[in-house]
Amino acid sequence: MTDSTPQLTRLRTRMLSTAYTNADIWTRDSAYLTDQAVAALARRDPGAAETLAKSLLAPEFLNDTRILGAAVEAGIDTTGWEERREKIRAYAREAYELSPKTDPADEAGRIWASLYDHYPQIAAALADFLRAMPDTWREDLFTTSPHSPGATPQTRELPGPETAPYDPLDWEDCPACAEAQDSCRYHRGIYEGMEYQRDLITTALTDHTAMDQLQHRHAELDAQRARQATSAATSTPPPDPTTPAATA
């Protein structure tokens, strides 16, 4: 881009590139829908769209008064916004201030309380399971031996055992994400799946060798389906001459 490139073009380039390259599905959707809204404004009022783009690329300090004023002007109910903001900020503070070495007793108490609150039947079954363990449970589980879980090397850091139920539709207020103070196992799996899909699509679009192999494989599958169709057509048994349809 040059110095003469309109601010609107700069803004749309940034938003569309974000929608194309970002791995987070909500960021992609927000960037694309914002671009479409700005494009609609440009078709209706090019001057206002250019002014908006300029202000977005050189933003002023955004305070609560401006946000709440715009919400009131749009007729939006903001009564629950402050509580939700404090909740999200509390999660962020806890994640930032969390000690890397958590006390085992405290963590055990937290996990048990969360399990009891959300899944009491599982908590009861776990209590029965632990009560039925032999008196040698500590030696059986934690003695240093090739078969001891404590001696098994961890190849990678595993996510924490969330006991709160996850919310598949909400990445901000998911109880399991809040408990893990990170993405829960469900949302982390979705994120890794999107990463894999993005890498696969990027490879297919940019790697000519992979594209040739993909096209070759499609051609093989088409040929295989054609052979199966031909074989099915030729293997159809002839009609029985004794049937009424054959003698008619």
Side-chain angles (χ1 to χ4, degrees), residues 1 7-24 27-40 43 56-57 198:
M1 294 186 183
Q7 299 291 337
L8 182 63
T9 303
R10 294 175 183 272
L11 176 63
R12 295 200 63 189
T13 300
R14 180 176 299 182
M15 288 190 296
L16 290 175
S17 64
T18 299
Y20 183 79
T21 61
N22 202 283
D24 182 74
T27 302
R28 288 167 53 91
D29 288 348
S30 298
Y32 179 73
L33 293 176
T34 304
D35 169 77
Q36 295 300 292
V38 172
R43 288 190 294 269
L56 287 176
L57 292 175
R198 187 191 67 173

Side-chain angles (χ1 to χ4, degrees), residues 43 56 84-85 96 112 126 142 175 243:
R43 288 190 294 269
L56 287 176
R84 180 174 182 181
R85 181 174 66 174
Y96 179 76
W112 173 257
L126 179 61
F142 301 109
T243 60

Side-chain angles (χ1 to χ4, degrees), residues 139-152:
E139 292 78 7
D140 295 340
L141 290 177
F142 301 109
T143 51
T144 304
S145 69
H147 305 289
S148 171
T152 303

Side-chain angles (χ1 to χ4, degrees), residues 106-246:
D106 292 342
E107 186 67 8
R110 184 196 65 78
I111 292 176
W112 173 257
S114 182
L115 187 65
Y116 181 82
D117 289 340
H118 297 298
Y119 304 103
Q121 293 179 340
I122 297 178
L126 179 61
D128 292 337
F129 175 79
L130 295 176
R131 189 179 297 111
M133 293 182 68
D135 295 337
T136 58
W137 65 269
R138 186 180 295 274
E139 292 78 7
D140 295 340
L141 290 177
F142 301 109
T143 51
T144 304
S145 69
H147 305 289
S148 171
T152 303
Q154 296 291 337
T155 57
R156 63 186 180 88
E157 183 181 355
L158 297 176
E162 306 95 36
T163 53
Y166 62 80
D167 187 346
L169 301 180
D170 197 335
W171 289 54
E172 292 184 356
D173 290 339
C174 171
C177 289
E179 179 183 325
Q181 298 181 343
D182 195 356
S183 296
C184 66
R185 286 170 289 181
Y186 175 83
H187 287 120
R188 183 174 297 182
I190 290 181
Y191 178 81
E192 292 178 354
M194 291 190 299
E195 283 282 325
Y196 174 79
Q197 185 179 29
R198 187 191 67 173
D199 293 341
L200 188 64
I201 294 174
T202 302
T203 301
L205 293 177
T206 58
D207 190 334
H208 297 291
T209 302
M211 190 180 301
D212 292 341
Q213 293 176 350
L214 186 62
Q215 293 176 348
H216 180 68
R217 180 55 180 161
H218 278 299
E220 289 180 345
L221 292 175
D222 291 340
Q224 182 180 358
R225 294 191 191 97
R227 288 195 299 269
Q228 291 175 350
T230 303
S231 176
T234 55
S235 62
T236 303
D240 188 352
T242 60
T243 60

